[in-house]
Amino acid sequence: MIVYKTHDWLQAIWKFHTGSTVLSLLKRLAFVFVYVVVVIVVELNFLDFKLKNTPTEFLSTMGILLSLLIIFRTNTAYDRFYEGRRTWGVLVNTCRNLAVYYNAVLGEGRPAEKLFFTKVISNFPFALKNHLRDARNLNDLDETVPGTLAMLQRFDHVPNGVVSQLRNRTELLYKEGVISEGQLINLHDLLVVLLDVAGICERIKSTPIPFSYSFFIKLFITCYIGIMPFMVVEDYGYLTIPAVMLVSYVLVGLEMIGVEIEEPFGLERNNLPLTQLSQVIRVNVHEIFGYNLPTIEKDAAKLGFVIVT
């Protein structure tokens, strides 16, 4: 994700135009440029297709309809992006609440248990991040006691394995009399939220915008750009080329941005910064339990004008 300063327009524009999305956009615009140049040269010098006699209201009406479709498309994609960010906000708060609760319940007399919960709670966001990105990578996770990471290897759904570790150790503390039944119920409610968050993220990822709707918008944009040069060539002449290129930049760019942010958990520049959010949780949980992390790990949780994943 590009974390930017809203008042610094020049730097924001520069960051935007160095991303892979813009490079893909420029490739598409190159095809549009060739097409428009051929149409204008042929129309003005060799063959009159007579489309310039079409009423201007036709192009205006198509533009209005296309604008409504793109607005709906962009809003739908941003809703998915924002729901993903809001869900990860719930995860941040839940991990903090779990850390505060376990730290208060365990007190000063059980350092081994405190270290266990510190690492396992910190492991969950990294496990969820890798799961959403289809990466079976346990290198981000901390080893709690020997064998815990090896145990997670047998899980296809690693976040389930992490929550299982938390739940099993919590039940053990209850049987030992360290926590009361009321505390067990409260911890259960918080642990349930972890898998609720995972389920919401999986729903967002596995339910894309329907293909027919997405395809129709692309087809409409292609048709609109395809007929536009014929409609305005009489008034604009060779200036039709930059005019169509500008319109194409806006329309195709908005569609591509919508495609990029509708799946917010990927590695594109405009996706959510899951690694940074996971690191924020790790730093917060360690601070709550009283453990200090290296400065480099704390700095990884800070925002700046950088591209974070």
Side-chain angles (χ1 to χ4, degrees):
M1 179 179 181
I2 300 177
V3 183
Y4 61 95
K5 300 175 183 177
T6 55
H7 61 273
D8 195 340
W9 283 35
L10 293 179
Q11 197 170 9
I13 292 173
W14 168 251
K15 289 288 184 181
F16 175 74
H17 284 90
T18 56
S20 58
T21 300
V22 175
L23 295 179
S24 299
L25 171 60
L26 293 178
K27 293 178 182 178
R28 288 165 171 80
L29 291 180
F31 287 105
V32 175
F33 177 78
V34 173
Y35 168 76
V36 176
V37 169
V38 172
V39 169
I40 298 306
V41 171
V42 172
E43 178 78 12
L44 293 179
N45 298 285
F46 302 103
L47 183 62
D48 187 356
F49 293 99
K50 305 297 184 183
L51 290 178
K52 60 189 178 183
N53 298 324
T54 305
T56 57
E57 290 79 6
F58 175 76
L59 188 64
S60 300
T61 302
M62 286 191 65
I64 293 172
L65 294 175
L66 182 57
S67 298
L68 293 175
L69 284 173
I70 290 180
I71 288 172
F72 182 77
R73 171 74 172 86
T74 306
N75 287 343
T76 302
Y78 185 76
D79 284 344
R80 293 165 57 87
F81 178 88
Y82 185 72
E83 185 180 9
R85 180 60 185 90
R86 183 173 54 195
T87 303
W88 269 76
V90 172
L91 178 61
V92 171
N93 294 336
T94 301
C95 289
R96 288 169 178 166
N97 287 328
L98 276 171
V100 169
Y101 208 117
Y102 279 117
N103 186 56
V105 169
L106 295 174
E108 299 296 331
R110 305 181 73 94
E113 300 290 350
K114 292 179 67 173
L115 182 60
F116 174 86
F117 285 111
T118 299
K119 291 186 175 182
V120 177
I121 294 173
S122 300
N123 283 346
F124 182 80
F126 286 97
L128 180 59
K129 176 204 69 170
N130 292 334
H131 174 70
L132 294 174
R133 292 176 174 174
D134 298 320
R136 284 195 57 82
N137 179 15
L138 301 183
N139 294 332
D140 294 335
L141 278 60
D142 290 331
E143 181 87 61
T144 51
V145 294
T148 52
L149 290 185
M151 187 270 286
L152 291 177
Q153 288 282 7
R154 68 181 180 85
F155 281 88
D156 291 330
H157 193 288
V158 177
N160 280 347
V162 176
V163 175
S164 178
Q165 290 178 345
L166 286 170
R167 185 66 184 180
N168 291 340
R169 185 59 68 93
T170 302
E171 289 290 343
L172 182 61
L173 292 176
Y174 172 67
K175 292 176 181 178
E176 293 176 353
V178 178
I179 60 177
S180 66
E181 184 175 353
Q183 292 170 333
L184 179 66
I185 293 173
N186 291 335
L187 288 170
H188 167 77
D189 292 340
L190 290 173
L191 292 173
V192 165
V193 175
L194 296 181
L195 291 184
D196 288 344
V197 165
I200 294 172
C201 292
E202 289 169 342
R203 170 174 56 79
I204 295 172
K205 178 183 176 182
S206 62
T207 313
I209 292 176
F211 171 76
S212 57
Y213 178 75
S214 179
F215 172 78
F216 181 75
I217 292 180
K218 291 180 174 61
L219 180 61
F220 202 161
I221 291 175
T222 302
C223 292
Y224 184 82
I225 294 174
I227 67 172
M228 186 178 177
F230 298 102
M231 306 284 288
V232 300
V233 63
E234 184 176 20
D235 295 327
Y236 284 19
Y238 283 102
L239 290 178
T240 300
I241 297 174
V244 174
M245 293 300 297
L246 179 60
V247 172
S248 302
Y249 176 83
V250 175
L251 295 180
V252 179
L254 286 174
E255 168 61 15
M256 293 184 66
I257 291 172
V259 170
E260 184 174 349
I261 68 173
E262 73 181 14
E263 202 288 274
F265 307 121
L267 291 169
E268 298 290 341
R269 287 190 170 195
N270 288 304
N271 293 147
L272 290 173
L274 301 188
T275 302
Q276 183 265 333
L277 290 172
S278 300
Q279 191 64 30
V280 167
I281 294 174
R282 173 172 283 171
V283 170
N284 290 165
V285 169
H286 278 73
E287 286 180 348
I288 290 170
F289 279 103
Y291 297 104
N292 289 321
L293 287 174
T295 302
I296 189 172
E297 290 205 43
K298 293 182 179 180
D299 290 341
K302 296 178 181 179
L303 295 176
F305 198 119
V306 294
I307 301 168
V308 292
T309 60

